[in-house]
Amino acid sequence: MFSRILFYLVLLPVSYLPLGILYRVSDLLFLLLNSVFPYRKRVIEDNLRHAFPDYPEEKITDLRKKFYQHFCDIAVETIKTLTISKQALSSRIAVTNPELLQSEEFKNRHTVIMAAHYANWEWAALQLSQHTPLKDVYGIYLPLKNKFFDQVIRKSRNRFGTRLVSTKDLPKMLASEIHRPSSFGFIADQNPSNLNKTLWVEFFGREVPVAKGAERYARYLDAVVVYGHVEKTGRGKYEITYELLTDNIREMQEGLLLVNFMKTVEGHIRRKPEHWLWSHKRWKHKKNV
């Protein structure tokens, strides 16, 4: 009941506000997080210290503040996702190299698009179906424990043509429904739910578990694999650049795709660290030797 009240009386009405007003809300949230209720301050600063051991404390503090500013923008932009129009979203996201996904090779083969929790991955996922010529576009996601909000998220993200498929339902869907080239989007830098199905990969000097799903399904589909990097170019403005990771996945050494993906993600994070999701505990797991 509380979830429905929160959604219909708060989140949905707020989502109709213009982004200009929502960014004023973001500014207020930043003041609260930075000075009054520091959200996961210790986690964020510990992550930054481990990732950038040579940075002085002043730099760590500055990065945490910049992350809070970006995080608050992402919060209001995510709420806006509930009602934003296709035209409004398209005006805020540009693709720097649309010709890559429009090539003949991509039109005739399955495509796996790997992305990270960087900049605004929610808007990028919502826009995915507009970038590829393939008719069937799927976003692979972990279902929320709250069933009501899981339904809300599915409805919101499905509005512009991308269809959400849970990791639980994906194998069955692939076995029974895939009969023509399709695109599959994975946010592949998150903590895996099952450590027994992971590959340990070096990330900022420490090993982290990476879910094997994106690579496993790419091999099953013999898919072309690309990395979709989202760059924040201004407040509420983003650019997506697609980078080919491999067009011959079945000839690659097992695990190499995930290694290359994480190296690519790390390189982008190092250039603008404040736009990655430092508040999640990416290094919380320890490898059993």
Side-chain angles (χ1 to χ4, degrees), residues 82-108:
L82 295 172
T83 53
I84 194 170
S85 68
K86 182 185 293 188
Q87 182 180 6
L89 185 65
S90 296
S91 70
R92 293 184 171 276
I93 298 182
V95 181
T96 64
N97 57 340
E99 66 280 356
L100 179 64
L101 295 189
Q102 299 293 330
S103 67
E104 289 300 319
E105 180 179 22
F106 282 73
K107 292 179 182 179
N108 297 316

Side-chain angles (χ1 to χ4, degrees), residues 32-93:
L32 292 174
L33 291 188
N34 189 53
S35 304
V36 184
F37 305 107
Y39 173 70
R40 292 198 170 190
K41 177 180 177 181
R42 180 176 295 179
V43 171
I44 295 166
E45 292 190 343
D46 284 349
N47 283 341
L48 288 169
R49 290 188 190 102
H50 282 295
F52 305 104
D54 297 331
Y55 280 11
E57 282 301 305
E58 309 87 74
K59 179 69 171 178
I60 297 297
T61 300
D62 181 61
L63 279 176
R64 175 178 57 79
K65 290 180 179 179
K66 288 180 177 178
F67 166 74
Y68 276 153
Q69 290 173 324
H70 172 68
F71 181 78
C72 292
D73 279 358
I74 292 297
V76 299
E77 288 171 5
T78 300
I79 294 174
K80 187 64 180 178
T81 301
L82 295 172
T83 53
I84 194 170
S85 68
K86 182 185 293 188
Q87 182 180 6
L89 185 65
S90 296
S91 70
R92 293 184 171 276
I93 298 182

Side-chain angles (χ1 to χ4, degrees), residues 118-264:
Y118 191 88
N120 191 328
W121 61 92
E122 291 284 353
W123 277 8
L126 194 63
Q127 186 76 347
L128 180 58
S129 62
Q130 310 305 308
H131 305 162
T132 172
L134 300 178
K135 183 177 181 179
D136 297 318
V137 180
Y138 303 93
I140 312 307
Y141 85 113
L142 289 171
L144 301 179
K145 293 181 179 179
N146 185 304
K147 292 185 178 181
F148 173 75
F149 275 113
D150 186 66
Q151 292 177 348
V152 168
I153 291 296
R154 290 177 67 94
K155 182 178 179 180
S156 172
R157 293 182 182 176
N158 288 347
R159 287 192 300 131
F160 300 154
T162 301
R163 287 180 281 176
L164 284 193
V165 178
S166 73
T167 52
K168 179 181 178 181
D169 295 334
L170 182 58
K172 180 180 179 181
M173 187 271 286
L174 289 178
S176 62
E177 297 183 23
I178 295 302
H179 52 84
R180 58 186 172 191
S182 306
S183 289
F184 302 84
F186 290 82
I187 303 296
D189 68 328
Q190 60 192 4
N191 274 313
S193 57
N194 187 346
L195 291 181
N196 295 322
K197 298 181 179 180
T198 62
L199 177 73
W200 288 84
V201 176
E202 185 174 300
F203 185 58
F204 281 96
R206 287 181 291 171
E207 287 191 302
V208 297
V210 181
K212 295 180 180 180
E215 178 171 335
R216 182 170 67 252
Y217 292 120
R219 289 183 183 276
Y220 174 79
L221 296 166
D222 193 23
V224 180
V225 186
V226 300
Y227 170 59
H229 174 62
V230 188
E231 190 70 62
K232 188 173 187 176
T233 58
R235 202 168 201 184
K237 292 287 187 178
Y238 299 91
E239 284 184 349
I240 301 176
T241 300
Y242 291 106
E243 178 180 335
L244 179 66
L245 293 179
T246 181
D247 59 0
N248 196 3
I249 181 65
R250 291 180 176 174
E251 295 298 319
M252 285 187 77
Q253 176 184 345
E254 188 172 346
L256 184 58
L257 175 67
L258 299 179
V259 171
N260 291 343
F261 167 73
M262 294 302 287
K263 284 183 179 178
T264 303

